[in-house]
Amino acid sequence: MDTKNLILRTKFVDRMCHWTMVACFFLVAMSGLSWFFPSLNWLSGVLGTPQLARMLHPFLGTVVFVLLVCMFFRFVHYNMPARTDVTWFRNIADVLMNRHTKPLGIGKYNAGQKILFWCIMALISALFATGVVAWRPYFAGYFPIPAIRLALLAHSLAGLGLILLVIGHIYMGIWVRGSITGMLTGYVSRAWAKQHHDRWYAEEIAPAAKDTSAKRQS
Amino acid sequence: MGMQSQDIIRRSATNGLTPAPQARDHQHEVAKLIDVSICTGCKGCQVACSEWNDLRDEVGHNVGVYDNPADLTAETWTVIRFDEEEDESGTLEWLLRKEGCMHCAEPGCLKACPSPGAIVQFANGIVDFQSEQCIGCGYCIAGCPFDVPRINKKDNKAYKCTLCADRVSVGQEPACVKTCPTGAISFGSKAEMKDLAASRIEELKSRGHAGAGLYDPQGVGGTHVMYVLTHADKPEMYHRLPKDPHISPFVRGWKEWLKPVGALGFIATLAGAFAHYVGVGPNTVDSPDPEAAPAKPPEGKETVAAADAAEGEHPVGRE
């Protein structure tokens, strides 16, 4: 791939982490939905038989959780609240209506992405904790039945919330052209970076590029 | 699964639009009536249950009480519970109760079960597990207000008393009823059993058991296993038999409330995304590569390294 005019936005390790998580999450979410909406029972077929799906679901869920912990440490730095996030929220109508009139001082991730990050962290952690409580035959026996009931309700609530958020996340990837390629290859164009993450571009990409070109000329 | 049932009035994880076969519903509701005042705790019912159902549970250990085995298991579907009760005058009373599935009219296990057809309720009121469909999730355990179903370690499937559905379907009484030497267990139509209970309760009251009564809890729509209790006002005395059993609000919230809300959530999210895309169109980059030409880096790799180095100075942390 010719990466001359491109910027590396997401490193190989992070991409691997993300896409492995996507694969596992897909299987876990489909099997989970097959039990939550019994009319969608056929979705458990992604893991073979319903019995096999029931057995594998918690293990794959654990893989998702472990990958999440890795991603937390890799990405938390970029997802801390910033003063410019307020600007983004104030201009959310422009953002959603595709009006690129003024730069909003968006860092590596915008305020919406940051909220998504924290919600995903919270929901997957809740899913892991409640999932352990309900996990048969290994752990459920150690918890009283009322705790299991509460865990099952919280697990489906969190699962539902997470799947809806992820649908939103996927839609944003489709809507903002160049994002999915960016996450697959790691590279985005300079124009993309400038338009969608202007502060990130101004503070990290442009100076670095100037440095290198200056170094080359001297 | 040799014989087919065409009298299933409720089937787990099944849409109301596509019910199970239920043409042969011209049946009486059946009931088992257990009169604790006649029970001697001989455990003949436990043996008969194991005999008829080909169950041979592992021989356990004595844990210091007469209950043996100590609890219901996937291979012990009924257990006599022994509770010692001492009144104010210091008189000891044995409270015996044959524990097992109550065959609720509104079964919590069936409501919680996510596997289509793994739990069914027949027109005669029997609630039965169709083990081939069982996925071993244990939701039935969470759904049951009586803590009855157990998962088998051998095959990871849930089991409980079937009320001898196989015997009842050919006109016989359950094995425990057949074997009970004192006649403490009776079986027949639910109406008949209620009549029988009424006469027994009258007799017990005439003998001074003022608290005698029928246990047919309406919180689960009534049960198809009923008790005549000498202390019906305090059922908890009989090994924590719940006074007002009902399906937990958490289970109801999960199965009755969250499901439609979730479906609406999906429809709203997908419709919103669809409308947004059609209305606004894709978010493309306005102008191609504003500064690329003058500041073109010689190699992507170097840009990367530079960007990485800059990571540490990300201003976000300071804000």
Side-chain angles (χ1 to χ4, degrees):
Chain A
M1 188 174 70
D2 178 23
T3 56
K4 254 186 211 162
N5 289 318
L6 298 174
I7 303 161
L8 182 65
R9 179 166 162 84
T10 315
K11 289 186 203 163
F12 173 72
V13 180
D14 298 328
R15 286 180 347 247
M16 273 305 280
C17 215
H18 176 265
W19 290 109
T20 312
M21 194 164 168
V22 168
C24 294
F25 175 79
F26 173 78
L27 298 172
V28 176
M30 290 301 124
S31 49
L33 281 176
S34 82
W35 302 312
F36 187 72
F37 295 119
S39 298
L40 302 179
N41 190 255
W42 52 276
L43 286 177
S44 70
V46 296
L47 286 173
T49 66
Q51 285 78 13
L52 205 54
R54 210 292 305 170
M55 217 179 78
L56 294 175
H57 174 94
F59 286 104
L60 286 165
T62 306
V63 173
V64 171
F65 178 73
V66 169
L67 290 170
L68 180 90
V69 172
C70 298
M71 286 188 90
F72 177 81
F73 289 111
R74 303 282 302 176
F75 287 85
V76 65
H77 174 68
Y78 301 110
N79 285 284
M80 300 308 280
R83 214 171 294 135
T84 47
D85 291 341
V86 180
T87 321
W88 187 86
F89 276 118
R90 232 178 256 142
N91 292 280
I92 190 146
D94 284 344
V95 173
L96 287 175
M97 296 313 288
N98 227 351
R99 291 190 289 259
H100 308 128
T101 43
K102 53 181 178 226
L104 298 176
I106 301 167
K108 190 162 183 187
Y109 297 102
N110 67 38
Q113 289 173 301
K114 289 179 186 177
I115 286 180
L116 182 86
F117 173 87
W118 288 105
C119 285
I120 287 180
M121 290 296 153
L123 289 172
I124 294 185
S125 303
L127 282 162
F128 181 69
T130 53
V132 166
V133 174
W135 193 343
R136 289 191 190 274
Y138 308 114
F139 303 109
Y142 297 105
F143 296 94
I145 289 172
I148 298 172
R149 287 176 184 149
L150 187 59
L152 286 171
L153 176 63
H155 194 79
S156 21
L157 198 61
L160 209 60
L162 181 64
I163 293 170
L164 294 182
L165 276 180
V166 169
I167 290 176
H169 179 56
I170 294 169
Y171 173 68
M172 286 298 155
I174 295 169
W175 179 51
V176 180
R177 288 297 154 88
S179 311
I180 293 178
T181 317
M183 199 61 201
L184 278 168
T185 63
Y187 288 93
V188 294
S189 71
R190 309 179 72 79
W192 187 97
K194 207 175 175 200
Q195 177 160 317
H196 298 299
H197 300 276
D198 54 308
R199 186 162 59 82
W200 176 60
Y201 182 82
E203 288 176 358
E204 299 193 25
I205 306 307
K210 242 167 247 158
D211 277 0
T212 31
S213 57
K215 220 179 277 168
R216 207 161 73 105
Q217 275 157 15
S218 64
Chain B
M1 291 283 280
M3 200 171 59
Q4 71 163 326
S5 239
Q6 297 166 329
D7 55 349
I8 297 170
I9 55 170
R10 246 195 217 131
R11 186 177 185 267
S12 59
T14 299
N15 195 316
L17 295 171
T18 56
Q22 49 186 234
R24 293 159 64 154
D25 61 354
H26 185 70
Q27 295 184 18
H28 284 295
E29 273 187 57
V30 297
K32 181 159 78 181
L33 182 70
I34 302 167
D35 188 339
V36 302
S37 69
I38 305 178
C39 177
T40 59
C42 74
K43 298 174 187 161
C45 52
Q46 292 185 210
V47 176
C49 178
S50 301
E51 277 273 311
W52 176 258
N53 291 299
D54 300 326
L55 299 166
R56 296 295 183 274
D57 205 352
E58 249 176 73
V59 177
H61 297 277
N62 187 307
V63 293
V65 291
Y66 284 102
D67 310 26
N68 184 11
D71 193 12
L72 294 171
T73 72
E75 297 183 12
T76 295
W77 297 346
T78 187
V79 169
I80 300 286
R81 296 299 192 173
F82 294 73
D83 283 278
E84 297 170 40
E85 189 66 30
E86 214 176 308
D87 67 15
E88 289 117 28
S89 63
T91 314
L92 178 81
E93 187 185 2
W94 277 112
L95 300 179
L96 307 181
R97 175 165 74 90
K98 177 188 181 296
E99 191 185 22
C101 176
M102 301 295 286
H103 296 272
C104 306
E106 283 156 26
C109 57
L110 193 150
K111 181 168 282 292
C113 177
S115 184
I119 304 180
V120 296
Q121 185 178 39
F122 298 117
N124 62 11
I126 293 180
V127 178
D128 203 11
F129 286 6
Q130 307 289 299
S131 306
E132 262 180 294
Q133 258 68 259
C134 178
I135 60 172
C137 63
Y139 291 4
C140 51
I141 299 172
C144 176
F146 295 96
D147 184 21
V148 165
R150 297 286 186 273
I151 299 257
N152 196 352
K153 286 195 175 71
K154 282 184 202 161
D155 59 8
N156 203 35
K157 290 179 188 300
Y159 291 91
K160 67 163 191 70
C161 158
T162 69
L163 205 67
C164 285
D166 47 352
R167 291 173 61 89
V168 172
S169 68
V170 291
Q172 297 199 351
E173 70 273 68
C176 57
V177 181
K178 174 112 182 161
T179 209
C180 180
T182 62
I185 319 175
S186 314
F187 183 79
S189 76
K190 179 146 181 177
E192 282 167 12
M193 290 302 109
K194 278 178 150 174
D195 287 346
L196 178 62
S199 64
R200 273 299 297 161
I201 290 160
E202 209 178 316
E203 197 187 326
L204 284 167
K205 282 190 168 162
S206 73
R207 282 165 43 194
H209 293 287
L214 178 69
Y215 187 81
D216 178 25
Q218 294 307 304
V220 289
T223 53
H224 295 91
V225 171
M226 304 185 293
Y227 292 108
V228 170
L229 303 175
T230 40
H231 304 282
D233 47 338
K234 283 178 271 177
E236 300 92 339
M237 291 162 72
Y238 299 88
H239 206 83
R240 298 185 294 278
L241 185 62
K243 185 165 184 122
D244 177 28
H246 53 267
I247 299 175
S248 158
F250 292 134
V251 175
R252 282 197 183 279
W254 167 36
K255 291 289 173 174
E256 288 171 7
W257 174 82
L258 190 55
K259 231 184 327 188
V261 168
L264 281 177
F266 267 90
I267 292 166
T269 307
L270 293 170
F274 183 72
H276 182 258
Y277 198 80
V278 173
V280 175
N283 188 346
T284 48
V285 173
D286 292 338
S287 55
D289 229 350
E291 290 171 35
K296 195 187 281 177
E299 265 177 55
K301 282 258 163 25
E302 280 184 51
T303 315
V304 173
D308 286 349
E311 263 182 22
E313 292 166 12
H314 197 269
V316 160
R318 276 178 267 130
E319 281 168 350

